[in-house]
Amino acid sequence: MERFELHILGCGSALPTMRHFATSQVINVREKLFMIDCGEGTQVQLRRSRLKFSRLNHIFISHLHGDHCFGLIGLISTFGMTERTADLHIYSHPDLVNLLQAQIDYFCKGMSYQVVFHPFDPKAQAVIYDDRSVSVETIPLRHRMPTCGFLFREKPTQNHIRRDMIDFYHIPIWMINRIKEGEDFTTEEGETIPNNRLTIPSDPPRAYAYCSDTAYCPRIIEQIRGVDMLYHEATFADSDKARAKQTQHSTARQAAQIAHDAEVKRLVIGHFSARYDDENLLLQEAQEVFPQTVLAQENLQLSL
């Protein structure tokens, strides 16, 4: 099975603490790195996670609150100092273009690479990235400003051809890819060998959903149903439900309810409020609803 990994770089909320960095994470899909959000300190966390700067070409910004994007200009500047040549693609609300371009023009003159902006409407569900390995679509959320999550869907891979069948039926090299794609094979004697005898089914494609920041938002359930892993913000404990509603964030119990109703396989909760010295309270509340819940933490790596 090829790599599909989540790397947590930061899982705190807006107010800085000594325990958590601001929100950022990296998805590794078949050795391609995709960043989601880029709070302060992200480039330091990239170093700590031993992720190669050169393999990161796409950054997705959920919304324009500072704790999700203040790290961008520092990261862009550092990439320039490493003599990067590959374009860096940033997907975001259209307002980021003007906000960030002025900083790039002032602080990053003469860079050896281009920053390419891809504006999108956070209020609309749409595919904003697509290649042979993965597609990325927006998940409209409920927050104090236009905000979306992101759904990463792995593309199906070819079936695996059985080596013993290649030898037994003397299958020529030029037929191997066609058989992997589903064709039967006809021997020189005219016998048709069905594809299911020649191949082993590929692993089912995986999916990862990122949902932060948001109030409790049941309308996302159908879009994320059955994903292998869901990251959902859990800023507050149940005792602070009124504060969660006021700020349009979620409680840990609400995040777990979304995971339960969407029948996801695993839930990771994060975006913790600075008011809690011990997030195990949030974990306990979430696990009462959805036992397959884990706490996000800096430099945590999870495989799908």
Side-chain angles (χ1 to χ4, degrees):
M1 184 177 291
E2 298 192 71
R3 283 192 176 185
F4 196 143
E5 298 172 344
L6 167 65
H7 297 261
I8 303 290
L9 305 184
C11 57
S13 57
L15 192 64
T17 72
M18 297 296 290
R19 300 190 314 280
H20 296 301
F21 280 76
T23 298
S24 185
Q25 51 187 246
V26 168
I27 312 300
N28 180 347
V29 183
R30 304 179 191 176
E31 305 304 335
K32 296 178 182 178
L33 301 185
F34 303 87
M35 178 175 286
I36 303 175
D37 285 337
C38 187
E40 291 176 86
T42 289
Q43 57 182 322
V44 173
Q45 290 297 87
L46 269 176
R47 289 292 195 204
R48 287 178 175 163
S49 295
R50 301 185 182 277
L51 295 167
K52 291 184 178 180
F53 283 16
S54 60
R55 286 168 48 208
L56 175 59
N57 296 319
H58 301 273
I59 301 177
F60 299 87
I61 302 298
S62 63
H63 64 296
L64 299 185
H65 277 156
D67 55 317
H68 293 256
C69 61
F70 279 168
L72 277 171
I73 188 62
L75 186 63
I76 290 168
S77 176
T78 296
F79 281 171
M81 289 188 285
T82 63
E83 299 183 353
R84 177 191 179 100
T85 57
D87 290 347
L88 179 66
H89 298 266
I90 300 179
Y91 305 77
S92 72
H93 187 285
D95 285 354
L96 182 64
V97 178
N98 292 331
L99 294 171
L100 194 57
Q101 189 63 58
Q103 298 180 62
I104 293 171
D105 292 342
Y106 188 87
F107 293 110
C108 305
K109 295 182 178 69
M111 287 196 310
S112 55
Y113 73 98
Q114 296 294 317
V115 178
V116 182
F117 291 97
H118 300 268
F120 62 80
D121 181 1
K123 297 179 181 179
Q125 180 181 333
V127 174
I128 58 173
Y129 176 84
D130 188 72
D131 66 20
R132 291 187 300 175
S133 301
V134 66
S135 67
V136 182
E137 62 187 74
T138 51
I139 307 170
L141 300 173
R142 287 178 53 204
H143 197 42
R144 301 190 304 277
M145 68 187 314
T147 303
C148 69
F150 301 103
L151 177 57
F152 287 72
R153 292 192 185 276
E154 184 183 30
K155 298 291 182 66
T157 56
Q158 293 179 327
N159 288 340
H160 308 290
I161 191 166
R162 294 175 54 180
R163 179 59 195 237
D164 57 336
M165 294 293 99
I166 295 176
D167 296 337
F168 186 81
Y169 290 110
H170 306 289
I171 298 172
I173 292 175
W174 60 269
M175 270 297 299
I176 288 178
N177 274 337
R178 292 169 62 174
I179 291 171
K180 287 181 178 180
E181 291 172 357
E183 284 194 29
D184 298 333
F185 175 66
T186 302
T187 67
E188 292 181 357
E189 294 76 23
E191 180 186 2
T192 298
I193 312 302
N195 187 269
N196 60 9
R197 190 188 303 174
L198 302 172
T199 61
I200 300 170
S202 63
D203 297 310
R206 294 157 289 182
Y208 171 70
Y210 169 92
C211 297
S212 183
D213 298 9
T214 183
Y216 179 61
C217 188
R219 69 166 179 260
I220 70 174
I221 288 171
E222 286 308 313
Q223 187 179 1
I224 67 172
R225 184 172 297 281
V227 299
D228 296 86
M229 188 180 297
L230 166 65
Y231 177 94
H232 196 290
E233 74 129 283
T235 307
F236 294 105
D238 212 44
S239 58
D240 293 309
K241 185 185 293 186
R243 179 64 176 163
K245 183 176 181 180
Q246 178 186 9
T247 58
Q248 294 193 32
H249 283 292
S250 296
T251 68
R253 191 177 299 277
Q254 289 171 335
Q257 191 64 53
I258 293 290
H260 174 274
D261 294 346
E263 301 175 305
V264 308
K265 294 183 176 66
R266 281 190 289 174
L267 170 65
V268 184
I269 55 173
H271 200 265
F272 307 122
S273 170
R275 69 183 60 200
Y276 306 112
D277 294 325
D278 183 358
E279 288 90 18
N280 281 306
L281 167 64
L282 304 176
L283 178 63
Q284 179 181 346
E285 291 187 352
Q287 287 181 336
E288 288 173 359
V289 177
F290 190 77
Q292 295 78 34
T293 303
V294 299
L295 284 174
Q297 58 183 341
E298 277 68 18
N299 305 114
L300 175 67
Q301 176 183 325
L302 297 169
S303 295
L304 279 73

